[in-house]
Amino acid sequence: MMALKLFNTLSRSLEEFVPLDPNAKNVGMYCCGPTIYDFGHIGNFRTFVFSDLLRRYLEFRGFALRHVMNITDVEDKIIARVRQSKMPLRQYVSQYEKAFFEDLDSLGCRRPHFTPRATEHIPEIIRLIEQLIAKGIAYKAPDGSVYFSIDKYQKCGCRYGQLVNLNFEAMRPGERVQSDEYTKDSIADFALWKARVPEDGEVFWPSPFGEGRPGWHIECSAMSMKILGPSFDLHLGGEDLAFPHHEDEIAQSEGAGLQPPGQHFVKYWVHAAHLLVEGKKMSKSLGNFFTLRDLLNKGFSGREIRYLLLKAHYRETFNFTLAGLEEARAALGRLDECLLKLQELAGNTRANPAEKLIRDFTTALDEDLNISAAWGIVFDWVRDTNKQLAAGQLSAAQAAAELEAWRKIDTVFGLGSKTEQEAPSELLALLDQRQAARKAKDFKRADTIRDELKAKGWQIEDTPKGPRLKRL
Ligand code: AMP
Ligand code: ZN
């Protein structure tokens, strides 16, 4: 089998993916998660659907993944909103955290194995800052905050500017920056710990450096290394995060010097390009700003939106339009119709998956997740299959084999087929009865219902949204 290649921002080149694990089995993957001050917009979800795609493909390729996505629940924008809302921090953010996970489910994203919250890792963050202070790389400034010194870091033999080329002459290093997000044209010492100010209200923690709160960059270093170790395989995010956020993560993590000699904090940095809407940057004032919920309210399904977000190569800027979403609906309709016909012909016939579709799909995705090529392959397959079906050239066994092949590659697309989503209502009623039986601890009855469903060709699958029925 060929190897999977990914574009590594660190080397600015396509590289073969070889995990750090000497057995080439276990993979650690971290994706910067949402800042939960509002509902996620579809641009955010392009990045999360992309990380779901990479995760699913690595699992398809047989790797055992540990997928981590942090929840940023303390940060400048959040504090501003908390102040306006007059709610306690946790109460304010939890409504958006809940909405975010519901949105991930609507989009068919596999839940990350770990979703650590920044506010629950204050001791780890403090420890990391202490390590940086002990190394002489972090210092307390007159404003009471603790900053990362880029100058001291470089004097330790480390390199600032691994992910992007920085022009130190033009960018005037040495100034300090407090805010979590800062402009791309300055190199500045950034805040690790922000001293408490009156505007923070009740949002502060005690620390050896005084009361305050962590900066945004340090949380990702502390939580990723806690869960995945000081050196891990993959770090993902939208392209806007490469600088300064990810550069600062490298500086903090490698500055603390916890990696084994010669090893980086992260082996592969993978960045997803931005989503534009109707050719422009999404903004409320332009009226082209969509949350996922806006689109669901317009009657589109999570499945249609997922398909659209998955259409383009991840390194291509993608232009989202409502017309494109209509086209996505039509394309999925063609696919569903073909799958339905295959299903009807296959009936209960079992077969091993047909090889060609899987082989062509794998070749495409191995090449830096070339999903646009993969869709080309799928729609050629739909056209050819339709022709064969119309000409009566497929046997039940061949139809079953093609269907199995689709199911296999759909573990990566994550679309499910329409027929699989919709079990007949009498079976859904049985599923409800089984849930009720389980609640009443009548496991015998629950098992009988399970067997009855099985006999009818349906399997119960537990999902974060509760059990659902899947075709056997
Ligand atoms: P945030 O909640 O702002 O921290 O962003 C969460 C993720 O969404 C980050 O990985 C961002 O890079 C990504 N992101 C933000 N805006 C866009 C966009 N327009 N297109 C694609 N990804 C985006
Ligand atoms: Zn991050």
Side-chain angles (χ1 to χ4, degrees):
M1 203 158 38
M2 268 177 41
L4 164 64
K5 284 192 225 119
L6 290 173
F7 187 87
N8 190 352
T9 313
L10 203 55
S11 65
R12 289 133 181 100
S13 63
L14 274 184
E15 285 181 34
E16 190 176 309
F17 177 71
V18 184
L20 291 164
D21 174 14
N23 297 320
K25 177 82 183 163
N26 294 310
V27 171
M29 176 170 119
Y30 186 93
C31 179
C32 291
T35 306
I36 42 174
Y37 67 101
D38 210 332
F39 295 110
H41 62 64
I42 50 168
N44 300 139
F45 285 109
R46 181 187 193 197
T47 295
F48 298 125
V49 167
F50 159 68
S51 72
D52 182 62
L53 170 71
L54 179 50
R55 170 191 169 163
R56 284 170 175 267
Y57 192 59
L58 290 166
E59 288 177 339
F60 172 90
R61 289 297 245 108
F63 295 108
L65 232 75
R66 299 218 297 161
H67 176 191
V68 185
M69 184 186 66
N70 66 306
I71 301 289
T72 299
D73 58 352
V74 57
E75 176 266 3
D76 297 350
K77 291 194 290 285
I78 295 179
I79 290 184
R81 294 286 186 98
V82 164
R83 204 166 54 231
Q84 283 167 9
S85 74
K86 303 198 166 45
M87 282 186 210
L89 175 72
R90 179 95 300 263
Q91 193 189 341
Y92 179 81
V93 293
S94 64
Q95 48 186 340
Y96 296 113
E97 185 182 278
K98 184 166 166 280
F100 174 75
F101 283 111
E102 285 168 7
D103 289 354
L104 276 191
D105 290 345
S106 303
L107 287 170
C109 292
R110 286 185 181 156
R111 292 247 184 142
H113 304 102
F114 303 85
T115 49
R117 295 176 181 140
T119 56
E120 289 169 0
H121 291 79
I122 304 293
E124 286 83 355
I125 291 171
I126 291 175
R127 203 169 316 131
L128 187 57
I129 298 174
E130 285 180 317
Q131 283 166 330
L132 289 168
I133 292 177
K135 292 224 159 208
I137 294 175
Y139 64 95
K140 197 163 170 176
D143 66 359
S145 297
V146 179
Y147 288 88
F148 184 93
S149 163
I150 291 175
D151 189 45
K152 293 275 167 48
Y153 174 67
Q154 288 179 311
K155 289 200 170 115
C156 288
C158 293
R159 192 167 136 227
Y160 191 75
Q162 296 190 30
L163 292 174
V164 284
N165 292 316
L166 298 175
N167 182 342
F168 280 82
E169 297 296 308
M171 293 168 92
R172 295 194 304 121
E175 289 167 19
R176 277 195 288 273
V177 55
Q178 248 268 351
S179 62
D180 283 326
E181 285 177 59
Y182 53 95
T183 53
K184 299 192 185 315
D185 52 13
S186 71
I187 303 168
D189 288 2
F190 54 90
L192 299 169
W193 186 262
K194 303 187 189 197
R196 182 182 173 193
V197 291
E199 298 84 69
D200 290 345
E202 292 307 303
V203 185
F204 67 90
W205 288 263
S207 87
F209 339 110
E211 287 173 343
R213 61 183 170 103
W216 171 38
H217 314 298
I218 194 78
E219 73 173 81
C220 283
S221 287
M223 296 193 284
S224 63
M225 293 199 289
K226 180 191 177 195
I227 300 170
L228 298 173
S231 195
F232 57 92
D233 300 290
L234 287 154
H235 197 313
L236 278 52
E239 61 184 354
D240 57 320
L241 298 192
F243 186 84
H245 183 56
H246 289 163
E247 194 64 48
D248 291 350
E249 277 190 48
I250 295 178
Q252 297 160 149
S253 309
E254 297 189 356
L258 305 170
Q259 291 72 26
Q263 263 184 34
H264 282 289
F265 163 49
V266 169
K267 193 168 178 193
Y268 304 94
W269 286 90
V270 187
H271 290 104
H274 262 190
L275 178 116
L276 297 180
V277 175
E278 312 280 352
K280 299 197 180 75
K281 200 175 146 119
M282 217 180 340
S283 90
K284 288 213 167 108
S285 58
L286 286 173
N288 64 354
F289 185 93
F290 295 110
T291 64
L292 179 68
R293 279 143 199 259
D294 294 333
L295 298 178
L296 295 175
N297 288 336
K298 285 184 191 292
F300 293 102
S301 68
R303 183 170 178 257
E304 287 162 346
I305 300 163
R306 178 181 175 91
Y307 168 73
L308 185 61
L309 292 178
L310 274 180
K311 252 180 76 172
H313 193 282
Y314 76 93
R315 284 199 287 127
E316 242 174 67
T317 305
F318 178 63
N319 188 24
F320 175 90
T321 63
L322 286 173
L325 198 46
E326 295 284 356
E327 282 165 31
R329 172 174 284 176
L332 269 182
R334 280 203 300 285
L335 175 63
D336 286 337
E337 207 182 300
C338 175
L339 295 172
L340 192 65
K341 280 190 255 163
L342 283 174
Q343 181 67 61
E344 280 167 4
L345 180 55
N348 285 327
T349 313
R350 296 297 191 98
N352 288 327
E355 279 170 18
K356 185 173 185 316
L357 181 63
I358 297 175
R359 198 173 51 235
D360 292 350
F361 166 84
T362 310
T363 306
L365 285 216
D366 268 353
E367 198 59 32
D368 196 25
L369 299 178
N370 192 346
I371 196 152
S372 21
W375 284 121
I377 290 159
V378 167
F379 283 101
D380 284 349
W381 172 80
V382 167
R383 193 197 51 219
D384 294 345
T385 306
N386 281 339
K387 263 193 212 149
Q388 288 173 311
L389 283 163
Q393 287 168 343
L394 284 186
S395 66
Q398 283 168 321
E402 294 300 336
L403 207 53
E404 274 311 305
W406 161 258
R407 287 193 182 130
K408 183 107 206 306
I409 66 173
D410 189 48
T411 60
V412 180
F413 290 131
L415 293 171
S417 80
K418 217 170 172 189
T419 47
E420 274 166 348
Q421 287 191 327
E422 290 167 356
S425 55
E426 71 271 23
L427 297 188
L428 291 174
L430 266 181
L431 181 65
D432 284 343
Q433 286 174 26
R434 175 178 174 267
Q435 282 312 97
R438 280 174 61 128
K439 247 199 182 138
K441 303 226 177 327
D442 185 356
F443 297 112
K444 215 171 139 208
R445 165 118 182 94
D447 286 351
T448 313
I449 297 176
R450 191 196 55 211
D451 294 343
E452 198 176 327
L453 287 167
K454 213 168 169 183
K456 295 204 156 95
W458 293 82
Q459 189 186 351
I460 300 168
E461 199 193 32
D462 284 307
T463 73
K465 275 188 162 174
R468 65 180 202 103
L469 288 178
K470 212 181 130 193
R471 271 191 195 277
L472 269 175

